[in-house]
Amino acid sequence: MTMFDLVIRNGRVATASDVFGADIGIRDGRIVQIGEGLGPGAEEIDAARRLVLPGGIDSHVHLSQNSGDGIVMADDFESGTLSALYGGNTCVMPFCLQTKGQSLRDALAAYHALAEGNCFTDVSFHMIISDPSPNVLGQELPALVADGYSSFKVFMTYEGLRLNDAEIIRTMDVARHTGAKVMVHCENEDAIRYLIGLHEEAGNVSPLAHATTRPVAVEREATHRALSLAEIVDVPVVIVHVSNGAAIDEIRSARMRGRAVVAETCPQYLMLTADDLNGMDWEGAKFVCSPPPRDRKEQEACWTGIQTGVFDLFSSDHCPFRYNDPTGKLNPQGRKSFRHVPNGIPGVETRLPILFSEGVMKGRIDLQRFVAVTSTNHAKAYGLTRKGSIAVGMDADIAIWDPEIRRVIRHADLHDGADYSPYEGLELRGWPVSVILGGKVMLKDGVLLGSRGDGRYQKRPV
């Protein structure tokens, strides 16, 4: 008689606090026993010489998101979650965008329809608040938070999306009263528009100008302002995709004042620089994202932030567009000016392997820190109470890694809908080879066994 649906044997298990050898017994989609010499399972995986980690949680991805007239995001829920799965992830958190004049419930209904039956990983949505009307803030948003949509994002940049300080304060106040998490994209749009004007007057419209019109000071000032507004309202805040040491200093300073701040960085701020935007023949458009990549000094500041605990979260900010495509980076206007190149780069599949290879295998961080910033802290920050760790009672969301695989990133080997990787040619050591989602083996030794629709939506009560 089998005791378990699945047993993972002989692996080296890692959590955010411990590393130990053990077998894992799974039944009905949950971890029910951890120990040595477990009884038989209906299915078994031998994880000898491999690492058994919590499935990755990428809490900052963009899928099937409206990106403007004639612009099409490269990933829908099917391709985006398949790519995430192959990268060792078991849950992703994309953004449901409210357009001006749209009710949040209508936006969510449409977004759920895109996701339903199409996911290879579990998903949970953040909301983007672009129109904080009295009805939205007074009725819709509090009711939706109570329904399990317990996080939302505001922008300080991008015309059509950005909120002014008064709108941000009022939106933050909803978070204070409901217990929701408010995420902030910190860049000063007025300063950016001033610099864009100077660049255009000088005829400087190549992709590199995207970086020089969004300098560090633009992000630092907005970070300081977002933290100050959160302090005025007295609400915790999440500062997303931090790219540089000056913004890190603002976060440290706020924490020294006793403020509750969750901070996030991304692979592009560890691996890319503004020089990548200076490629020949508009190749730099491949690397246009906001905030832009900085320089080697700021890369080191971000590594230090991961090592010292300033950063709680390491997310991909996967926002994919095809490069050589009239609906993507090289749309008719994008071929003429950086202003019309869609902002965002692909990276959901390479997020974990990059940090594992460049962080763990090169001795910058230990395995426990890797687990914390790629899974456990995401679950804690956003209320995924049964995810993010290997423990009895948790969802059986597990990634099995071969730490000795050497692999060169080639977009031809990836599974997203873009036509390039910003990390093309990067040689890595270590890669996830098998992935279990809710007790079901989705990937085994690189072979897809799961199906579209196996992923489920996750409500997150406050």
Side-chain angles (χ1 to χ4, degrees):
M1 179 181 296
T2 57
M3 296 179 60
F4 306 102
D5 300 328
L6 173 65
V7 176
I8 303 170
R9 298 193 185 278
N10 306 315
R12 191 76 175 158
V13 179
T15 69
S17 58
D18 297 294
V19 180
F20 53 92
D23 300 342
I24 299 172
I26 295 165
R27 188 186 305 121
D28 297 329
R30 301 281 186 90
I31 298 169
V32 295
Q33 191 170 345
I34 301 173
E36 297 180 353
L38 298 190
E43 186 175 3
E44 301 201 358
I45 295 176
D46 184 3
R49 297 179 299 280
R50 293 183 173 178
L51 299 172
V52 181
L53 311 181
I57 300 173
D58 196 339
S59 61
H60 193 151
V61 302
H62 299 269
L63 304 173
S64 287
Q65 187 175 304
N66 182 18
S67 303
D69 292 341
I71 305 301
V72 178
M73 189 162 279
D75 274 322
D76 57 16
F77 279 90
E78 180 178 357
S79 61
T81 58
L82 180 64
S83 184
L85 183 76
Y86 271 94
N89 299 282
T90 52
C91 186
V92 298
M93 301 183 70
F95 293 85
C96 175
L97 170 64
Q98 175 208 27
T99 57
K100 293 287 187 181
Q102 185 182 33
S103 81
L104 292 176
R105 287 199 179 275
D106 286 348
L108 282 165
Y111 206 51
H112 272 289
L114 295 174
E116 184 67 29
N118 290 317
C119 296
F120 286 90
T121 68
D122 287 349
V123 297
S124 194
F125 301 162
H126 309 293
M127 295 176 286
I128 292 176
I129 310 300
S130 68
D131 191 2
S133 66
N135 182 64
V136 166
L137 297 185
Q139 298 182 40
E140 275 201 294
L141 190 51
L144 287 169
V145 172
D147 284 347
Y149 299 94
S150 56
S151 54
F152 46 84
K153 184 179 181 182
V154 299
F155 285 81
M156 302 174 83
T157 186
Y158 301 137
E159 286 301 329
L161 277 181
R162 70 158 167 169
L163 306 186
N164 62 38
D165 286 359
E167 292 170 325
I168 292 172
I169 286 176
R170 289 196 292 269
T171 305
M172 285 180 169
D173 199 46
V174 175
R176 180 171 69 90
H177 283 101
T178 61
K181 283 287 174 64
V182 58
M183 312 159 72
V184 189
H185 178 137
C186 300
E187 290 181 290
N188 183 316
E189 177 67 12
D190 291 326
I192 291 166
R193 291 177 70 82
Y194 167 75
L195 293 172
I196 286 173
L198 295 181
H199 280 65
E200 289 183 330
E201 287 176 9
N204 183 3
V205 294
S206 72
L208 180 61
H210 174 77
T212 52
T213 56
R214 293 174 178 268
V216 165
V218 160
E219 183 182 349
R220 176 193 53 74
E221 184 280 330
T223 302
H224 176 83
R225 184 157 39 99
L227 293 167
S228 297
L229 296 176
E231 185 170 351
I232 290 166
V233 179
D234 191 21
V235 67
V237 68
V238 183
I239 305 297
V240 297
H241 47 49
V242 175
S243 74
N244 65 83
I248 289 171
D249 288 343
E250 295 291 344
I251 292 164
R252 286 198 187 101
S253 178
R255 287 176 176 167
M256 289 178 65
R257 296 194 302 273
R259 305 309 308 163
V261 185
V262 173
E264 171 197 87
T265 195
C266 308
Q268 49 267 41
Y269 307 121
L270 304 181
M271 305 305 300
L272 305 177
T273 70
D275 289 342
D276 291 306
L277 279 74
N278 201 27
M280 298 293 290
D281 299 323
W282 231 248
E283 284 278 326
K286 292 180 177 179
F287 304 93
V288 167
C289 60
S290 295
R294 303 300 184 184
D295 57 23
R296 301 296 180 193
K297 175 185 174 184
E298 304 301 355
Q299 284 182 353
E300 288 305 313
C302 289
W303 273 115
T304 300
I306 291 174
Q307 292 165 331
T308 59
V310 173
F311 290 124
D312 308 278
L313 309 176
F314 185 74
S315 306
S316 68
D317 194 7
H318 178 78
C319 188
F321 300 93
R322 294 182 67 82
Y323 169 65
N324 194 20
D325 192 305
T327 67
K329 296 281 190 178
L330 297 188
N331 65 81
Q333 290 182 298
R335 289 178 177 270
K336 299 176 183 178
S337 172
F338 73 96
R339 287 191 63 188
H340 303 290
V341 174
N343 274 227
I345 60 176
V348 70
E349 189 167 345
T350 52
R351 171 187 73 121
L352 297 177
I354 285 173
L355 187 63
F356 185 87
S357 181
E358 294 293 316
V360 178
M361 300 308 286
K362 291 190 176 180
R364 288 184 170 109
I365 59 174
D366 61 23
L367 196 54
Q368 298 97 306
R369 184 78 183 132
F370 174 83
V371 170
V373 299
T374 61
S375 184
T376 307
N377 291 350
H378 298 256
K380 290 180 178 178
Y382 296 115
L384 292 164
T385 55
R386 294 204 306 265
K387 297 186 181 296
S389 188
I390 294 177
V392 171
M394 302 294 280
D395 286 352
D397 295 347
I398 294 169
I400 300 174
W401 286 68
D402 185 337
E404 298 304 326
I405 285 181
R406 292 187 180 271
R407 184 168 169 183
V408 175
I409 294 178
R410 305 289 184 200
H411 186 263
D413 300 326
L414 303 179
H415 301 83
D416 61 59
D419 56 357
Y420 76 98
S421 169
Y423 311 107
E424 187 80 14
L426 178 64
E427 184 175 354
L428 301 180
R429 183 179 167 197
W431 203 276
V433 293
S434 298
V435 180
I436 295 94
L437 173 67
K440 179 173 181 177
V441 181
M442 299 291 290
L443 280 178
K444 188 172 183 180
D445 294 326
V447 177
L448 181 65
L449 302 180
S451 302
R452 183 185 68 172
D454 284 336
R456 297 156 295 179
Y457 185 80
Q458 304 292 312
K459 284 190 175 182
R460 296 171 290 117
V462 293

